[in-house]
Amino acid sequence: MNNFGVIEIASTTTKNTPGWAYVPDTGPLPAALQPTNRKRAARNQPALSLSDLSAREETRIRKDLEALDRDSHRDANITIPPRPGGSRAQNKHTPNVRKILQSQKTFANHLDDYQALLALAESNPAAAAAMNAAQAKPSTPIAATPKSASPAPTVAPAGGGSRRSAAAAKRAAAKEKQEQEKKKARQTPKQEPDPETEANNPQQQEDQPDVEMPDATAPPQPTPTPNAEEPNPQETQSSYPRESLILPAYTKPPPRPHPGDADPLLVSYIPPFPSDDELRELMTAPPLSYLEARAGWGDEQRRYPVRVFCAVCGYWGRVKCMKCGVRVCALECLEAHREECVTRYGL
Amino acid sequence: MAASRKSRASGPPPPAATFVLDNGADTIKAGFVTGNKTDAPRIIPNCVARDRHRKTYVGSELEKCRDFGEIAFRRPVEKGFVVSWEAQKEIWDREFFDDKAPQRCDPSETRLVLAEQPNALPALQTHCDQMVFEEFGFYSYCRGIGPAFNAYQDIQAIFHTPRTPDTPVDVPAEVILVIDSGYSHTTVTPIVQGRPLHQAIRRLDVGGRLMTNYLTRLLSVRHFDMRNETFIANEMKEAVCYVSLDFKGDLEKTWKGTRGDRRDDYLSGAGIAKDYVLPDSHTTFHGVVRDYEPGVSARARKAAVSTEDVLTLRNERFVVPELLFNPSDIGMRQPGLADLVMQSLSALPIGLWPGLLANIVVVGGNASLDNFIQRLQMELLERVPDECVVRVARPQDPAISTWLGAANFARHEHVERLAVTKQEYEEHGAGWVARKFAAGLGAET
């Protein structure tokens, strides 16, 4: 059959209704549904298309997973038995507590509520804020953790990236200025100006363009600050991590030198350790939401095809049942499967 | 409670006892920490159960239950978070707060350290805070992320790192990666100095319950209907399941072969097949694992000892825990555990990788599965740069590891910085408390 390179793909819009599944209507022609010849109608129907099968497969998998995730096979509706020693004198519950105790919500309900709240916050921040205030609920974790509320006054973790880029921009601007000055001023020493001092006195530079700035901005030896923004990978590190306030340095003597240490094939490279600022930012980041923390299904996982197993014995699923698409390993299992092969819609 | 209101007015000195609670989906781990003394935690089933005689058991009453056939459970904790406070309050009341409770605790005289799962829904967190203060009335309260509490243990002892005996134990551990594989799900949490790195916490929705249900399904297809026997299937899972180090090889060994060509490995069992004798609910109430006897066909055995039901477990033994490493085997669109670790690491600067990879601690009930850590180490080594040292270890008793960490945390000075007293709660409200717990310890040491 020539499809002109068109590949059918399964629709992802399947609804979970007991006994029903919405699948794209690519099935038999209307004539096949109401055949004029009623003899052997079931047998004369055309074979199911690929999209039918895969949509059916997906529905089956989804139902399977939902069943596996449930706590019990039956819906257990267990009422809490009365206390053996007679019920304790009923305390008066606070309104909040009464509401919580009477709530019949499941986790799925709570999750839906939360998503709805997030969607509302995205589309209409004012309304969401009002709702938050009215319900006296805590703000969503993404909405952030005001630093004033944190127990210890933390160093404001300004976005490391933005700060660095700002510093870089400033540096670039200053360099341009220096280029212009070069024409008038004497030869500038080829030394990288210290970004910190520069960041501190850009005003000064603008005010007095005629003064020999290069000298001023080039101190004899820039003192390495512990919070240096850009870790220099070439720098030989005596301690790992480098000087840091958050993680104490490794103080024990390094391992015995080995003759192969300098061998370019054997030498191991240690990635630069994150600076204190980066660490601080990581440590104070707000929690992700429940759904964000769920591990994703990325390209890495799509690289290899999913393994399939025999539905009967659990060995590799090497053969597909032509009726329902279930995998089995060999003829013996296929026969066992055929005995109970049900090809009802969406099952 | 009335008692708590009285105590607040008088303003007594802070109580000495801390009640440490790890409220898991399957079991509660609870115990007191007083001064430098830590009692061993009690492990209480966190469920209301009903057996086939319609008798109901709440929490630790389940010990009295003899016949676990067709037992049904109602669990207050769903997906790791307390959802049904009606049931949870009943269990807590009976275990801790009643006059004749086995682990009597006076909330107004006690501080509470409660472990919760990461990435909770804010609404559920608020419920928890409100219940703790408004219903139970604890003196003070600290809600922290369970995996992060593991950092307050002597981590290097778990790894058997060689060191001189007088080395001081650094608590919290500087850099560790905690994998918490529990009843509801499995989480990966990188921790630096006791602070979880929230941006890199990842969750895989495969836990003990899913594995038990999967085993139940496999048995129902291949042997007989066990769908109502979740408890028995769970016991079976704990007794016989193991993580395979050579999945393909093991699967090959357990295959029966094509018709007329039975494999020798299948007939002899190849060291994998085990017999499991089901409880008959009259004389025996727990299943027994037996070595597979080759040569005796199932029918012959059935004829010989007609009173017992024997299941021969072959690939069920390792296919079930395989879900942790390959959830796509049942069509789940999630990565395996090793890829989960890599996803978590990829959210962090590479400079942290060596430290995290060399200190991977696996806690939670599933960590007790045989070969779990070996398999994880094997899979991680395939994925990380060659230079990285990968060490994976599990504590002596992985199920109570989080509790032990939390108990150490209760003695650490960090608890003072996080805990919220009832007075503060009444003054600032639930929103303030939630923000304070969400902010955590901050970055300052």
Side-chain angles (χ1 to χ4, degrees):
Chain A
M1 194 169 66
N2 192 355
N3 277 340
F4 305 104
V6 178
I7 302 162
E8 283 184 84
I9 45 171
S11 158
T12 52
T13 56
T14 45
K15 293 275 176 349
N16 181 19
T17 319
W20 286 92
Y22 288 102
V23 293
D25 187 10
T26 55
L29 297 168
L33 290 174
Q34 292 168 344
T36 47
N37 181 8
R38 288 184 178 276
K39 266 188 186 172
R40 293 179 287 277
R43 199 200 295 166
N44 289 336
Q45 280 191 4
L48 288 164
S49 72
L50 181 66
S51 68
D52 268 344
L53 277 182
S54 48
R56 197 177 278 195
E57 189 90 332
E58 268 178 28
T59 319
R60 188 180 58 80
I61 288 174
R62 199 168 40 81
K63 276 190 176 171
D64 273 3
L65 287 179
E66 275 168 17
L68 282 179
D69 212 27
R70 265 193 312 211
D71 237 337
S72 60
H73 167 57
R74 288 166 307 178
D75 277 337
N77 189 13
I78 303 172
T79 47
I80 291 161
R83 304 275 171 86
S87 69
R88 206 173 37 149
Q90 271 299 314
N91 291 315
K92 264 202 159 166
H93 299 307
T94 59
N96 278 334
V97 171
R98 208 175 309 130
K99 208 174 73 187
I100 294 168
L101 287 180
Q102 283 169 356
S103 159
Q104 295 291 321
K105 279 186 179 173
T106 62
F107 184 79
N109 299 140
H110 283 291
L111 191 59
D112 288 346
D113 284 357
Y114 179 65
Q115 274 176 292
L117 191 70
L118 281 191
L120 183 68
E122 223 166 74
S123 61
N124 192 353
M131 205 169 116
N132 264 340
Q135 295 193 351
K137 270 188 184 170
S139 59
T140 57
I142 292 152
T145 49
K147 285 289 160 279
S148 59
S150 65
T154 51
V155 174
S162 62
R163 187 151 125 202
R164 213 170 301 154
S165 62
K170 256 181 207 163
R171 213 175 309 162
K175 239 180 200 162
E176 230 172 285
K177 195 157 283 178
Q178 276 184 359
E179 296 282 334
Q180 291 170 355
E181 283 168 8
K182 261 186 201 168
K183 290 165 193 167
K184 314 177 206 170
R186 57 191 169 87
Q187 193 68 20
T188 52
K190 284 275 178 214
Q191 190 163 16
E192 186 68 22
D194 188 11
E196 257 197 41
T197 39
E198 228 179 74
N200 288 341
N201 52 11
Q203 284 295 321
Q204 205 183 343
Q205 284 184 350
E206 277 179 11
D207 292 342
Q208 314 157 328
D210 285 347
V211 185
E212 288 104 337
M213 280 309 292
D215 277 320
T217 53
Q221 187 60 53
T223 50
T225 50
N227 288 345
E229 291 263 343
E230 308 278 343
N232 193 353
Q234 279 97 38
E235 190 180 315
T236 50
Q237 297 172 357
S238 56
S239 74
Y240 183 83
R242 298 176 332 119
E243 287 180 49
S244 161
L245 296 171
I246 292 174
L247 288 172
Y250 182 76
T251 48
K252 288 176 200 138
R256 269 187 308 124
H258 187 269
D261 276 352
D263 190 335
L265 284 176
L266 296 179
V267 74
S268 58
Y269 300 95
I270 305 173
F273 201 78
S275 65
D276 267 6
D277 282 347
E278 275 178 88
L279 274 180
R280 219 168 262 138
E281 199 181 324
L282 282 172
M283 284 158 74
T284 52
L288 297 176
S289 74
Y290 184 78
L291 291 168
E292 282 171 320
R294 187 170 196 268
W297 180 254
D299 292 335
E300 182 72 20
Q301 283 76 46
R302 250 176 247 136
R303 185 185 294 166
Y304 299 110
V306 170
R307 311 192 293 191
V308 282
F309 295 93
C310 171
V312 179
C313 73
Y315 188 66
W316 301 114
R318 307 186 296 187
V319 189
K320 214 170 184 178
C321 170
M322 286 174 67
K323 268 190 184 164
C324 64
V326 158
R327 301 288 193 123
V328 288
C329 65
L331 273 178
E332 199 177 356
C333 285
L334 182 63
E335 275 168 22
H337 163 73
R338 270 198 192 136
E339 282 174 15
E340 51 202 36
C341 175
V342 274
T343 51
R344 262 187 298 151
Y345 220 58
L347 202 79
Chain B
M1 282 182 194
S4 62
R5 291 195 193 101
K6 194 174 62 201
S7 72
R8 189 181 63 83
S10 55
T18 308
F19 188 49
V20 179
L21 196 60
D22 177 6
N23 201 47
D26 188 37
T27 52
I28 302 174
K29 278 70 77 177
F32 285 100
V33 174
T34 321
N36 279 329
K37 198 166 113 313
T38 305
D39 305 335
R42 271 179 79 223
I43 298 178
I44 306 157
N46 195 6
C47 59
V48 182
R50 188 178 60 200
D51 67 6
R52 64 175 130 206
H53 311 297
R54 312 204 57 84
K55 187 170 175 352
T56 317
Y57 306 88
V58 179
S60 61
E61 289 170 18
L62 196 64
E63 290 164 10
K64 290 183 216 142
C65 179
R66 303 287 312 279
D67 177 7
F68 293 101
E70 290 178 30
I71 198 162
F73 295 102
R74 169 178 173 181
R75 299 187 189 274
V77 177
E78 248 182 87
K79 305 265 176 195
F81 309 103
V82 184
V83 173
S84 164
W85 273 103
E86 187 196 6
Q88 188 66 77
K89 176 180 176 312
E90 188 66 22
I91 295 170
W92 282 14
D93 275 348
R94 293 199 187 203
E95 298 299 331
F96 313 126
F97 306 127
D98 272 357
D99 294 333
K100 277 177 274 176
Q103 204 166 11
R104 181 89 181 84
C105 161
D106 182 3
S108 58
E109 303 281 304
T110 315
R111 304 185 295 175
L112 175 68
V113 172
L114 181 68
E116 67 160 0
Q117 289 294 312
N119 311 109
L121 300 180
L124 293 177
Q125 289 178 324
T126 315
H127 284 186
C128 186
D129 300 347
Q130 287 173 343
M131 288 301 290
V132 163
F133 282 126
E134 296 184 16
E135 176 62 23
F136 304 114
F138 276 94
Y139 173 82
S140 81
Y141 164 56
C142 174
R143 169 162 59 75
I145 289 181
F149 285 143
N150 286 290
Y152 291 85
Q153 288 187 70
D154 186 3
I155 291 298
Q156 296 312 319
I158 298 173
F159 286 103
H160 303 292
T161 311
R163 55 181 176 180
T164 48
D166 57 339
T167 318
V169 176
D170 291 329
V171 167
E174 287 161 19
V175 179
I176 57 168
L177 185 77
V178 174
I179 297 177
D180 184 357
S181 186
Y183 182 76
S184 329
H185 52 227
T186 301
T187 55
V188 173
T189 315
I191 298 161
V192 172
Q193 294 283 23
R195 284 91 165 158
L197 305 182
H198 282 291
Q199 297 298 311
I201 297 181
R202 290 290 179 277
R203 185 186 67 247
L204 168 67
D205 291 327
V206 176
R209 179 186 50 205
L210 185 92
M211 290 197 274
T212 301
N213 285 347
Y214 187 54
L215 178 64
T216 312
R217 169 181 299 178
L218 292 182
L219 295 176
S220 304
V221 168
R222 295 173 198 172
H223 299 279
F224 32 73
D225 193 348
M226 301 260 303
R227 283 177 300 176
N228 289 334
E229 312 287 357
T230 325
F231 188 90
I232 292 170
N234 190 46
E235 271 191 339
M236 198 186 297
K237 178 191 79 181
E238 284 167 11
V240 300
C241 281
Y242 72 98
V243 181
S244 171
L245 293 180
D246 172 21
F247 183 76
K248 278 180 188 164
D250 283 355
L251 197 61
E252 212 65 50
K253 279 184 205 161
T254 50
W255 190 40
K256 61 186 179 307
T258 51
R259 186 168 13 197
D261 178 26
R262 284 279 174 270
R263 299 282 177 94
D264 291 337
D265 280 337
Y266 177 79
L267 295 175
S268 67
I272 293 173
K274 290 265 184 213
D275 280 345
Y276 191 84
V277 185
L278 291 174
D280 62 5
S281 298
H282 294 291
T283 51
T284 54
F285 296 98
H286 294 279
V288 182
V289 188
R290 240 188 243 162
D291 282 336
Y292 177 69
E293 305 155 46
V296 189
S297 77
R299 200 165 295 146
R301 261 179 297 161
K302 214 170 261 175
V305 270
S306 56
T307 51
E308 53 186 28
D309 284 320
V310 181
L311 291 180
T312 303
L313 299 163
R314 293 170 192 274
N315 58 27
E316 295 87 352
R317 286 189 65 201
F318 56 88
V319 160
V320 171
E322 185 71 14
L323 292 184
L324 278 168
F325 296 92
N326 282 300
S328 57
D329 284 358
I330 52 166
M332 246 182 148
R333 295 287 173 86
Q334 283 205 288
L337 192 48
D339 281 331
L340 187 75
V341 173
M342 294 316 289
Q343 284 194 6
S344 165
L345 287 180
S346 62
L348 296 172
I350 292 186
L352 278 173
W353 288 24
L356 289 170
L357 284 169
N359 296 287
I360 299 178
V361 183
V362 188
V363 302
N366 296 334
S368 307
L369 289 167
D370 281 346
N371 292 339
F372 185 107
I373 50 175
Q374 288 88 338
R375 170 77 181 270
L376 182 63
Q377 182 155 355
M378 207 172 75
E379 288 208 355
L380 277 175
L381 276 172
E382 293 167 3
R383 286 167 169 83
V384 299
D386 277 349
E387 283 99 355
C388 287
V389 177
V390 178
R391 293 192 305 172
V392 186
R394 67 167 167 229
Q396 196 87 44
D397 188 346
I400 61 167
S401 170
T402 297
W403 186 91
L404 292 173
N408 283 351
F409 171 77
R411 288 203 300 264
H412 197 269
E413 47 105 10
H414 279 170
V415 76
E416 308 296 340
R417 284 165 50 182
L418 268 185
V420 172
T421 61
K422 191 168 188 310
Q423 216 163 348
E424 283 173 312
Y425 172 79
E426 280 161 5
E427 202 168 310
H428 303 285
W432 178 85
V433 172
R435 279 197 298 276
K436 175 160 179 179
F437 287 141
L441 283 166
E444 300 309 304
T445 43

